[in-house]
């Protein structure tokens, strides 16, 4: 009963930023959808002023990612590691809610949602979205000409992310 009402509100989420951060916390991809204008790549020099704001937000959320997910250690330790890749809700920053996902290669996927309905967004929607972003990242990594651990500059990857964001906003 309560799920149906919440699902309607979850459709009000708007993705403001999609980011891929490397295993040593270096930014690999950041696409900002903050305004009604065309999205832009926040890692390009000369990108808009909004880019700096999202860099800070993503960087601030990395501490929470580290708390929720620790890479497996080499020494045997009783500390359990999180097996689920979807970290869920990370933290609020201004009018945005940040969600996280960690790949098996310890790259971090972080999505900032603009909270338009006063809810935290839809968790089920976010899990599926992260899996699809991860699939795009895997396709990018399988490209023999794409350098691993470097900024993702592929237009196919960028267009795939744009399409996912557009589909998520249309629901």
């Amino acid at each position: 009963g309560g799920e149906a009402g919440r699902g309607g509100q979850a459709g009000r989420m708007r993705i403001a930023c999609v980011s891929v951060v490397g295993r040593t916390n270096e930014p690999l991809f950041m696409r900002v959808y903050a305004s009604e204008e065309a999205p832009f790549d926040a890692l390009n020099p000369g990108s808009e002023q909004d880019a700096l704001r999202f860099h800070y937000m993503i960087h601030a959320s990395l501490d929470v990612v580290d708390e929720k997910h620790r890479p497996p250690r080499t020494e045997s330790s009783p500390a359990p590691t999180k097996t689920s890749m979807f970290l869920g809700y990370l933290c609020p920053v201004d009018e945005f809610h940040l969600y996280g996902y960690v790949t098996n290669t310890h790259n971090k996927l972080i999505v900032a949602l603009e909270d338009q309905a006063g809810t935290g967004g839809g968790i089920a929607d976010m899990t599926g979205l992260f899996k699809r972003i991860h699939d795009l990242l895997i396709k990018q990594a399988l490209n023999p000409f794409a350098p691993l651990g470097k900024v993702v500059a592929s237009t196919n990857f960028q267009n795939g992310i744009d399409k996912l964001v557009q589909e998520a906003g249309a629901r």
Side-chain angles (χ1 to χ4, degrees), residues 25 61-71 87 108:
N25 293 341
S61 72
L62 290 177
D63 289 337
V64 181
V65 170
D66 288 342
E67 286 176 18
K68 288 189 170 199
H69 175 85
R70 287 186 175 81
L87 300 177
K108 297 133 194 116

Side-chain angles (χ1 to χ4, degrees), residues 49-114:
Q49 182 61 33
D50 246 359
L52 188 58
R53 180 179 185 205
F54 284 96
H55 274 280
Y56 284 132
M57 280 195 298
I58 299 302
H59 187 73
S61 72
L62 290 177
D63 289 337
V64 181
V65 170
D66 288 342
E67 286 176 18
K68 288 189 170 199
H69 175 85
R70 287 186 175 81
R73 299 181 200 165
T74 53
E75 76 250 11
S76 60
S77 66
T81 57
K82 187 161 179 68
T83 56
S84 172
M85 294 176 162
F86 180 63
L87 300 177
Y89 181 70
L90 298 176
C91 61
V93 179
D94 298 331
E95 70 273 20
F96 300 99
H97 292 278
L98 278 69
Y99 289 82
Y101 183 99
V102 177
T103 68
N104 55 353
T105 56
H106 307 293
N107 287 329
K108 297 133 194 116
L109 310 179
I110 298 173
V111 171
L113 295 183
E114 186 173 10

Side-chain angles (χ1 to χ4, degrees), residues 100-137:
Y101 183 99
V102 177
T103 68
N104 55 353
T105 56
H106 307 293
N107 287 329
K108 297 133 194 116
L109 310 179
I110 298 173
V111 171
L113 295 183
E114 186 173 10
D115 188 15
Q116 297 179 322
T119 66
I123 297 297
D125 290 339
M126 293 305 296
T127 305
L129 176 71
F130 275 115
K131 287 180 181 175
R132 293 173 71 192
I133 293 171
H134 189 192
D135 288 343
L136 287 172
L137 193 59

